[in-house]
Amino acid sequence: MRSQPAALTALGPSADAAAHSVVFVCTANSARSQVAEALWSRSSDVPAVSAGTHPVLGVAVGAMQVAARHGVVLAGRPKLYADVVEAGGYVITV
């Protein structure tokens, strides 16, 4: 599977979006949600964070390597979703 950067050009909140934050949630918070957070942050002013339902100790090395090849830095540390969800924010599962 290869990244298709053009597929993400329209990614971002719509004009009527009222969320003040976004949380991307996956199981381990080791790859998918980390990448989603990083890509979102590159294209939106709405703050984002990633988290997991059962977070592991660190971001997957393979995810960091693939992201780095595309100029994306995965700097987050896996977090539990219950610790980062805020009222009024959007939760997006990946």
Side-chain angles (χ1 to χ4, degrees):
M1 175 180 272
R2 296 195 63 99
S3 172
Q4 300 295 323
L8 303 174
T9 56
L11 181 65
S14 64
D16 63 337
H20 59 80
S21 65
V22 175
V23 179
F24 291 97
V25 179
C26 68
T27 306
N29 190 216
S30 64
R32 293 170 291 158
S33 55
Q34 295 281 344
V35 170
E37 173 191 357
L39 293 175
W40 179 275
S41 295
R42 290 174 78 171
S43 64
S44 176
D45 292 330
V46 176
V49 66
S50 65
T53 57
H54 299 85
V56 294
L57 295 177
V59 177
V61 172
M64 290 190 296
Q65 291 170 339
V66 170
R69 283 198 305 263
H70 294 280
V72 177
V73 176
L74 302 183
R77 154 184 90 60
K79 298 172 263 328
L80 179 64
Y81 76 97
D83 293 339
V84 298
V85 173
E86 298 176 358
Y90 285 172
V91 175
I92 301 172
T93 59
V94 293

Coordinates of all heavy atoms in Angstrom, one line a residue:
M1 N 0.8 -1.2 0.0 CA 0.0 0.0 0.0 C 0.9 1.2 0.0 O 1.9 1.3 0.7 CB -0.9 0.0 1.2 CG -1.7 1.2 1.3 SD -2.8 1.2 2.8 CE -4.2 0.4 2.1
R2 N 0.5 2.2 -0.8 CA 1.3 3.5 -0.9 C 0.4 4.6 -0.5 O -0.7 4.7 -0.8 CB 1.8 3.6 -2.3 CG 2.8 2.5 -2.7 CD 3.6 2.9 -3.9 NE 4.4 4.0 -3.7 CZ 5.7 4.0 -3.4 NH1 6.3 2.9 -3.3 NH2 6.4 5.1 -3.3
S3 N 1.1 5.6 0.1 CA 0.4 6.8 0.5 C 0.0 7.6 -0.8 O 0.8 7.7 -1.7 CB 1.3 7.7 1.3 OG 0.7 9.0 1.5
Q4 N -1.2 8.2 -0.8 CA -1.7 9.0 -2.0 C -1.9 10.4 -1.4 O -3.0 10.7 -1.0 CB -2.9 8.4 -2.6 CG -2.8 7.0 -3.1 CD -1.9 6.9 -4.3 OE1 -1.8 7.8 -5.1 NE2 -1.1 5.9 -4.4
P5 N -0.9 11.3 -1.4 CA -1.0 12.6 -0.8 C -2.2 13.4 -1.3 O -2.8 14.1 -0.6 CB 0.3 13.3 -1.1 CG 1.3 12.1 -1.3 CD 0.5 11.0 -1.9
A6 N -2.5 13.3 -2.6 CA -3.6 14.1 -3.2 C -4.9 13.7 -2.5 O -5.8 14.5 -2.5 CB -3.6 13.9 -4.7
A7 N -5.0 12.5 -2.0 CA -6.3 12.1 -1.4 C -6.6 12.8 -0.1 O -7.7 12.9 0.3 CB -6.2 10.6 -1.1
L8 N -5.6 13.5 0.4 CA -5.8 14.2 1.7 C -5.9 15.7 1.6 O -6.1 16.4 2.5 CB -4.6 13.9 2.6 CG -4.4 12.4 2.9 CD1 -3.1 12.2 3.7 CD2 -5.5 11.8 3.6
T9 N -5.9 16.2 0.3 CA -5.8 17.7 0.2 C -7.1 18.3 0.7 O -7.1 19.5 1.1 CB -5.6 18.0 -1.3 OG1 -6.6 17.4 -2.1 CG2 -4.2 17.6 -1.8
A10 N -8.2 17.6 0.6 CA -9.5 18.2 1.1 C -9.8 17.9 2.6 O -10.8 18.2 3.1 CB -10.6 17.8 0.2
L11 N -8.9 17.1 3.2 CA -9.1 16.7 4.6 C -9.1 17.9 5.5 O -8.2 18.7 5.5 CB -8.0 15.7 5.0 CG -8.1 15.2 6.4 CD1 -9.4 14.3 6.6 CD2 -6.9 14.4 6.8
G12 N -10.1 18.0 6.4 CA -10.2 19.1 7.3 C -11.6 19.3 7.7 O -12.5 18.8 7.0
P13 N -11.8 20.1 8.7 CA -13.2 20.4 9.1 C -14.0 21.3 8.1 O -13.4 22.1 7.4 CB -13.0 21.1 10.4 CG -11.7 21.8 10.3 CD -10.9 20.8 9.5
S14 N -15.2 21.0 8.0 CA -16.1 21.8 7.1 C -16.4 23.2 7.8 O -16.1 23.3 9.0 CB -17.4 21.1 6.7 OG -18.1 20.9 7.9
A15 N -16.9 24.1 7.0 CA -17.2 25.4 7.5 C -18.2 25.4 8.7 O -18.1 26.3 9.6 CB -17.7 26.3 6.4
D16 N -19.0 24.4 8.7 CA -20.1 24.4 9.7 C -19.6 23.5 10.9 O -20.4 23.3 11.9 CB -21.4 23.9 9.2 CG -21.3 22.4 8.6 OD1 -20.2 22.0 8.3 OD2 -22.3 21.8 8.5
A17 N -18.4 23.0 10.9 CA -18.0 22.1 12.0 C -17.8 23.0 13.3 O -17.3 24.1 13.3 CB -16.6 21.5 11.7
A18 N -18.3 22.5 14.4 CA -18.3 23.2 15.6 C -17.3 22.7 16.6 O -17.1 23.2 17.7 CB -19.7 23.3 16.3
A19 N -16.6 21.6 16.3 CA -15.7 21.0 17.3 C -14.5 21.9 17.5 O -14.0 22.5 16.6 CB -15.2 19.6 16.7
H20 N -14.1 21.9 18.7 CA -12.9 22.7 19.1 C -11.7 21.8 19.2 O -10.6 22.3 19.3 CB -13.1 23.5 20.4 CG -13.4 22.6 21.5 ND1 -12.4 22.0 22.2 CD2 -14.6 22.3 22.1 CE1 -13.0 21.3 23.2 NE2 -14.3 21.5 23.2
S21 N -11.9 20.5 19.1 CA -10.7 19.6 19.1 C -11.2 18.3 18.4 O -12.4 18.0 18.3 CB -10.3 19.3 20.5 OG -11.3 18.7 21.2
V22 N -10.2 17.5 18.0 CA -10.4 16.2 17.4 C -9.6 15.1 18.1 O -8.4 15.4 18.4 CB -10.1 16.2 15.9 CG1 -10.2 14.8 15.3 CG2 -11.0 17.2 15.2
V23 N -10.1 14.0 18.4 CA -9.4 12.8 18.9 C -9.5 11.7 18.0 O -10.6 11.2 17.7 CB -9.9 12.4 20.3 CG1 -9.1 11.2 20.9 CG2 -9.8 13.6 21.3
F24 N -8.4 11.2 17.5 CA -8.4 10.0 16.6 C -8.1 8.8 17.5 O -7.1 8.8 18.3 CB -7.3 10.1 15.5 CG -7.6 11.2 14.5 CD1 -7.0 12.5 14.6 CD2 -8.4 10.9 13.5 CE1 -7.3 13.4 13.7 CE2 -8.7 11.9 12.5 CZ -8.2 13.1 12.6
V25 N -9.0 7.8 17.5 CA -8.9 6.7 18.4 C -8.7 5.4 17.6 O -9.5 5.1 16.7 CB -10.1 6.6 19.3 CG1 -10.0 5.4 20.2 CG2 -10.3 7.8 20.1
C26 N -7.7 4.6 17.9 CA -7.6 3.2 17.4 C -7.3 2.3 18.7 O -7.4 2.8 19.8 CB -6.6 3.1 16.4 SG -4.9 3.3 16.9
T27 N -7.0 1.1 18.5 CA -6.9 0.2 19.6 C -5.6 0.5 20.4 O -5.7 0.9 21.6 CB -6.8 -1.3 19.1 OG1 -8.0 -1.5 18.3 CG2 -6.8 -2.2 20.3
A28 N -4.4 0.4 19.8 CA -3.2 0.5 20.5 C -2.6 1.9 20.5 O -1.7 2.1 21.3 CB -2.2 -0.5 19.9
N29 N -3.1 2.8 19.6 CA -2.5 4.1 19.5 C -1.0 4.0 19.2 O -0.2 4.8 19.6 CB -2.7 4.9 20.8 CG -2.4 6.4 20.6 OD1 -1.9 7.0 21.5 ND2 -2.6 7.0 19.5
S30 N -0.7 3.1 18.3 CA 0.7 2.9 17.9 C 1.0 3.2 16.5 O 2.1 3.3 16.1 CB 1.1 1.4 18.2 OG 0.4 0.5 17.4
A31 N -0.1 3.4 15.6 CA 0.2 3.6 14.2 C -1.0 4.5 13.6 O -0.8 5.6 13.3 CB 0.4 2.3 13.5
R32 N -2.1 3.8 13.4 CA -3.2 4.5 12.6 C -3.6 5.8 13.2 O -3.7 6.9 12.5 CB -4.5 3.6 12.5 CG -4.3 2.4 11.7 CD -5.4 1.4 11.9 NE -5.4 0.9 13.3 CZ -6.4 0.3 13.9 NH1 -7.6 0.3 13.4 NH2 -6.2 -0.1 15.1
S33 N -3.9 5.9 14.4 CA -4.3 7.2 15.0 C -3.2 8.2 15.1 O -3.4 9.4 15.0 CB -5.0 6.9 16.4 OG -4.1 6.2 17.3
Q34 N -2.0 7.7 15.3 CA -0.8 8.6 15.3 C -0.6 9.3 14.0 O -0.4 10.5 13.9 CB 0.5 7.8 15.7 CG 0.5 7.2 17.1 CD 0.9 8.2 18.1 OE1 1.4 9.3 17.9 NE2 0.6 7.8 19.4
V35 N -0.8 8.5 12.9 CA -0.7 9.0 11.5 C -1.8 10.0 11.3 O -1.6 11.1 10.7 CB -0.6 7.9 10.5 CG1 -0.7 8.5 9.1 CG2 0.7 7.1 10.6
A36 N -3.0 9.6 11.7 CA -4.2 10.5 11.4 C -4.0 11.8 12.2 O -4.3 12.9 11.6 CB -5.4 9.8 11.9
E37 N -3.5 11.8 13.4 CA -3.3 13.0 14.1 C -2.2 13.9 13.4 O -2.4 15.1 13.2 CB -2.8 12.7 15.5 CG -2.3 14.0 16.3 CD -1.6 13.7 17.6 OE1 -1.4 12.5 18.0 OE2 -1.1 14.7 18.2
A38 N -1.1 13.3 13.0 CA -0.1 14.1 12.3 C -0.6 14.7 11.0 O -0.3 15.8 10.7 CB 1.1 13.2 12.0
L39 N -1.3 13.9 10.2 CA -1.8 14.4 8.9 C -2.9 15.5 9.2 O -2.9 16.6 8.5 CB -2.4 13.3 8.1 CG -1.4 12.3 7.6 CD1 -2.1 11.2 6.9 CD2 -0.3 13.0 6.7
W40 N -3.7 15.3 10.1 CA -4.7 16.3 10.4 C -4.1 17.7 10.8 O -4.4 18.7 10.4 CB -5.6 15.9 11.6 CG -6.7 16.9 12.0 CD1 -6.5 17.9 12.9 CD2 -8.0 17.0 11.5 NE1 -7.7 18.6 13.0 CE2 -8.6 18.1 12.2 CE3 -8.8 16.2 10.6 CZ2 -9.9 18.4 11.9 CZ3 -10.1 16.6 10.4 CH2 -10.7 17.7 11.0
S41 N -3.1 17.5 11.7 CA -2.4 18.7 12.2 C -1.7 19.5 11.1 O -1.5 20.7 11.2 CB -1.4 18.3 13.3 OG -2.1 17.8 14.4
R42 N -1.3 18.8 10.0 CA -0.7 19.5 8.9 C -1.7 20.3 8.1 O -1.3 21.2 7.3 CB 0.0 18.5 8.0 CG 1.2 17.9 8.6 CD 1.8 16.8 7.7 NE 2.5 17.4 6.6 CZ 3.2 16.6 5.8 NH1 3.3 15.3 5.9 NH2 3.9 17.2 4.8
S43 N -3.0 20.0 8.2 CA -4.0 20.6 7.3 C -5.1 21.3 8.0 O -6.0 21.9 7.3 CB -4.6 19.5 6.4 OG -5.3 18.6 7.1
S44 N -5.1 21.4 9.3 CA -6.2 22.0 10.0 C -5.6 22.8 11.2 O -4.7 22.4 11.9 CB -7.2 21.0 10.5 OG -8.2 21.6 11.3
D45 N -6.3 23.9 11.6 CA -6.0 24.7 12.8 C -6.7 24.1 14.0 O -6.4 24.5 15.1 CB -6.4 26.1 12.6 CG -5.5 26.8 11.5 OD1 -4.3 26.4 11.4 OD2 -6.0 27.7 10.9
V46 N -7.7 23.2 13.8 CA -8.4 22.6 14.9 C -7.4 21.6 15.6 O -6.9 20.7 14.9 CB -9.6 21.8 14.4 CG1 -10.3 21.1 15.6 CG2 -10.6 22.8 13.8
P47 N -7.1 21.7 16.9 CA -6.1 20.9 17.5 C -6.6 19.4 17.5 O -7.8 19.1 17.7 CB -6.0 21.4 18.9 CG -7.0 22.5 19.1 CD -7.7 22.7 17.7
A48 N -5.6 18.5 17.4 CA -5.9 17.1 17.3 C -5.0 16.3 18.3 O -3.8 16.8 18.5 CB -5.8 16.5 15.9
V49 N -5.4 15.2 18.7 CA -4.6 14.3 19.5 C -5.0 12.9 19.1 O -6.1 12.7 18.6 CB -4.8 14.6 21.0 CG1 -6.2 14.2 21.5 CG2 -3.8 13.8 21.9
S50 N -4.1 11.9 19.4 CA -4.5 10.5 19.1 C -4.5 9.8 20.4 O -3.8 10.1 21.4 CB -3.5 9.9 18.1 OG -2.2 9.8 18.6
A51 N -5.2 8.7 20.4 CA -5.3 7.9 21.7 C -5.8 6.5 21.3 O -6.2 6.2 20.2 CB -6.3 8.5 22.6
G52 N -5.7 5.6 22.3 CA -6.1 4.2 22.0 C -7.0 3.7 23.1 O -7.1 4.2 24.3
T53 N -7.8 2.6 22.8 CA -8.6 2.0 23.8 C -7.7 1.1 24.7 O -8.1 0.9 25.8 CB -9.7 1.1 23.1 OG1 -9.1 0.2 22.2 CG2 -10.7 2.0 22.4
H54 N -6.6 0.6 24.2 CA -5.7 -0.2 24.9 C -4.3 0.2 24.5 O -3.6 -0.6 23.8 CB -5.9 -1.7 24.6 CG -7.3 -2.2 25.1 ND1 -8.4 -2.1 24.3 CD2 -7.7 -2.8 26.2 CE1 -9.4 -2.6 24.9 NE2 -9.0 -3.0 26.1
P55 N -3.8 1.4 24.8 CA -2.5 1.8 24.3 C -1.3 1.0 24.7 O -1.3 0.4 25.8 CB -2.4 3.3 24.9 CG -3.4 3.3 26.0 CD -4.4 2.3 25.8
V56 N -0.4 0.9 23.8 CA 0.8 0.2 24.0 C 1.9 1.2 24.6 O 1.6 2.4 24.7 CB 1.3 -0.5 22.7 CG1 0.4 -1.6 22.3 CG2 1.5 0.5 21.6
L57 N 3.1 0.7 24.8 CA 4.1 1.6 25.4 C 4.8 2.6 24.4 O 5.3 3.6 24.8 CB 5.3 0.7 25.9 CG 4.8 -0.2 27.1 CD1 6.0 -1.0 27.6 CD2 4.3 0.7 28.3
G58 N 4.7 2.3 23.1 CA 5.4 3.2 22.1 C 4.8 3.1 20.8 O 4.1 2.2 20.4
V59 N 5.1 4.1 19.9 CA 4.6 4.1 18.6 C 5.4 3.1 17.8 O 6.6 2.9 18.0 CB 4.9 5.5 18.0 CG1 4.5 5.6 16.5 CG2 4.1 6.6 18.7
A60 N 4.7 2.4 16.9 CA 5.3 1.3 16.1 C 6.4 1.9 15.2 O 6.3 2.9 14.6 CB 4.3 0.6 15.2
V61 N 7.6 1.2 15.3 CA 8.8 1.6 14.5 C 8.4 1.7 13.0 O 8.8 2.7 12.3 CB 10.0 0.7 14.8 CG1 11.1 1.0 13.8 CG2 10.4 0.8 16.2
G62 N 7.7 0.7 12.5 CA 7.4 0.7 11.1 C 6.5 1.9 10.7 O 6.7 2.5 9.6
A63 N 5.6 2.3 11.6 CA 4.8 3.5 11.3 C 5.6 4.8 11.3 O 5.4 5.6 10.4 CB 3.7 3.6 12.4
M64 N 6.6 4.9 12.2 CA 7.5 6.0 12.3 C 8.3 6.1 11.0 O 8.5 7.2 10.4 CB 8.3 6.0 13.5 CG 7.6 6.3 14.8 SD 8.6 6.5 16.2 CE 9.4 5.0 16.4
Q65 N 8.8 4.9 10.5 CA 9.6 4.9 9.3 C 8.9 5.3 8.1 O 9.4 6.1 7.3 CB 10.3 3.5 9.2 CG 11.3 3.2 10.2 CD 11.7 1.7 10.2 OE1 11.0 0.9 9.7 NE2 12.8 1.4 10.8
V66 N 7.7 4.8 7.9 CA 6.9 5.1 6.8 C 6.5 6.6 6.8 O 6.6 7.3 5.8 CB 5.6 4.2 6.7 CG1 4.6 4.8 5.6 CG2 6.0 2.8 6.4
A67 N 6.1 7.1 7.9 CA 5.7 8.5 8.1 C 6.9 9.4 7.7 O 6.8 10.4 7.0 CB 5.2 8.8 9.5
A68 N 8.1 9.0 8.3 CA 9.3 9.8 8.0 C 9.6 9.9 6.5 O 10.0 11.0 6.0 CB 10.4 9.3 8.8
R69 N 9.4 8.8 5.8 CA 9.7 8.8 4.4 C 8.8 9.8 3.6 O 9.1 10.3 2.6 CB 9.5 7.4 3.8 CG 10.6 6.5 4.1 CD 10.6 5.3 3.1 NE 9.4 4.5 3.1 CZ 9.2 3.4 3.8 NH1 10.1 2.9 4.6 NH2 8.0 2.8 3.7
H70 N 7.7 10.2 4.2 CA 6.7 11.1 3.6 C 6.8 12.5 4.3 O 5.9 13.3 4.1 CB 5.3 10.5 3.7 CG 5.1 9.3 2.8 ND1 5.0 9.4 1.4 CD2 5.2 8.0 3.1 CE1 4.9 8.2 1.0 NE2 5.0 7.3 1.9
G71 N 7.8 12.7 5.1 CA 8.0 14.0 5.8 C 7.0 14.2 6.9 O 6.8 15.4 7.3
V72 N 6.5 13.2 7.5 CA 5.6 13.3 8.6 C 6.3 12.8 9.9 O 6.8 11.7 9.9 CB 4.3 12.5 8.4 CG1 3.3 12.5 9.6 CG2 3.6 13.0 7.1
V73 N 6.2 13.6 10.9 CA 6.9 13.2 12.2 C 5.8 12.7 13.2 O 4.8 13.4 13.4 CB 7.6 14.4 12.8 CG1 8.2 14.0 14.2 CG2 8.7 14.9 11.9
L74 N 6.0 11.5 13.7 CA 5.1 11.0 14.7 C 5.8 11.1 16.1 O 6.6 10.4 16.4 CB 4.8 9.5 14.4 CG 4.2 9.1 13.1 CD1 3.9 7.6 13.0 CD2 2.9 10.0 12.9
A75 N 5.5 12.2 16.7 CA 6.1 12.5 18.0 C 5.3 12.2 19.2 O 5.8 12.3 20.3 CB 6.5 14.0 18.0
G76 N 4.1 11.7 19.0 CA 3.3 11.5 20.2 C 3.7 10.2 20.9 O 4.3 9.3 20.4
R77 N 3.2 10.1 22.2 CA 3.4 8.9 23.0 C 2.0 8.4 23.1 O 1.0 9.1 23.3 CB 4.0 9.4 24.3 CG 3.7 8.5 25.5 CD 4.3 9.1 26.8 NE 3.4 10.0 27.5 CZ 2.2 9.7 28.0 NH1 1.7 8.5 27.8 NH2 1.5 10.6 28.7
P78 N 1.8 7.0 23.0 CA 0.5 6.5 23.1 C -0.2 6.9 24.4 O 0.4 6.9 25.5 CB 0.8 5.0 23.1 CG 2.0 4.8 22.3 CD 2.8 6.0 22.7
K79 N -1.5 7.2 24.2 CA -2.3 7.7 25.4 C -3.7 6.9 25.4 O -4.1 6.4 24.4 CB -2.6 9.2 25.2 CG -1.4 10.1 25.2 CD -1.7 11.5 24.8 CE -1.5 11.9 23.4 NZ -0.5 11.3 22.6
L80 N -4.3 6.9 26.5 CA -5.6 6.3 26.7 C -6.7 7.3 26.3 O -6.6 8.5 26.8 CB -5.8 5.9 28.2 CG -7.1 5.2 28.5 CD1 -7.3 3.9 27.8 CD2 -7.2 5.0 30.0
Y81 N -7.6 6.9 25.5 CA -8.6 7.8 25.0 C -9.4 8.5 26.1 O -9.7 9.7 26.0 CB -9.6 7.1 24.1 CG -10.6 6.3 24.8 CD1 -11.9 6.7 25.0 CD2 -10.3 5.0 25.2 CE1 -12.8 6.0 25.7 CE2 -11.2 4.2 25.8 CZ -12.5 4.7 26.1 OH -13.4 3.9 26.7
A82 N -9.7 7.9 27.2 CA -10.4 8.5 28.3 C -9.7 9.7 28.9 O -10.3 10.5 29.5 CB -10.8 7.5 29.4
D83 N -8.4 9.7 28.8 CA -7.6 10.8 29.3 C -7.5 12.0 28.4 O -7.1 13.1 28.9 CB -6.1 10.3 29.5 CG -6.0 9.3 30.6 OD1 -6.9 9.2 31.5 OD2 -5.0 8.5 30.6
V84 N -8.0 11.9 27.2 CA -7.8 13.1 26.3 C -9.1 13.5 25.6 O -9.2 14.6 25.0 CB -6.8 12.7 25.1 CG1 -5.4 12.5 25.7 CG2 -7.3 11.6 24.3
V85 N -10.2 12.8 25.8 CA -11.5 13.2 25.2 C -12.0 14.4 26.0 O -12.1 14.4 27.2 CB -12.5 12.0 25.2 CG1 -13.9 12.5 24.8 CG2 -12.0 10.9 24.3
E86 N -12.5 15.4 25.2 CA -13.1 16.6 25.8 C -14.5 16.8 25.3 O -14.8 16.5 24.2 CB -12.2 17.9 25.4 CG -10.8 17.8 25.9 CD -10.1 19.1 25.3 OE1 -10.6 19.9 24.6 OE2 -8.9 19.2 25.7
A87 N -15.3 17.4 26.2 CA -16.7 17.8 25.7 C -16.6 18.8 24.6 O -15.7 19.7 24.6 CB -17.4 18.4 26.9
G88 N -17.4 18.6 23.6 CA -17.4 19.5 22.4 C -16.4 19.1 21.4 O -16.4 19.7 20.3
G89 N -15.6 18.1 21.6 CA -14.7 17.6 20.6 C -15.2 16.5 19.8 O -16.2 15.8 20.2
Y90 N -14.6 16.3 18.6 CA -15.0 15.1 17.8 C -14.1 14.0 18.1 O -12.9 14.1 18.3 CB -14.8 15.5 16.3 CG -15.9 16.4 15.7 CD1 -15.7 16.9 14.4 CD2 -17.0 16.8 16.4 CE1 -16.6 17.7 13.9 CE2 -18.0 17.6 15.8 CZ -17.8 18.1 14.6 OH -18.7 18.9 14.0
V91 N -14.7 12.8 18.1 CA -14.0 11.5 18.2 C -14.1 10.8 16.9 O -15.2 10.5 16.5 CB -14.5 10.7 19.4 CG1 -13.8 9.3 19.5 CG2 -14.3 11.4 20.7
I92 N -13.0 10.4 16.3 CA -12.9 9.7 15.1 C -12.2 8.4 15.3 O -11.1 8.4 15.7 CB -12.3 10.6 14.0 CG1 -13.0 11.9 13.8 CG2 -12.2 9.8 12.7 CD1 -12.3 12.9 12.9
T93 N -12.9 7.3 15.0 CA -12.2 6.0 15.1 C -11.6 5.6 13.8 O -12.1 5.8 12.7 CB -13.2 4.9 15.6 OG1 -14.3 4.8 14.6 CG2 -13.8 5.3 16.9
V94 N -10.4 5.0 13.9 CA -9.7 4.6 12.7 C -9.2 3.2 12.9 O -9.1 2.7 14.0 CB -8.4 5.5 12.4 CG1 -8.9 6.9 12.0 CG2 -7.5 5.6 13.6

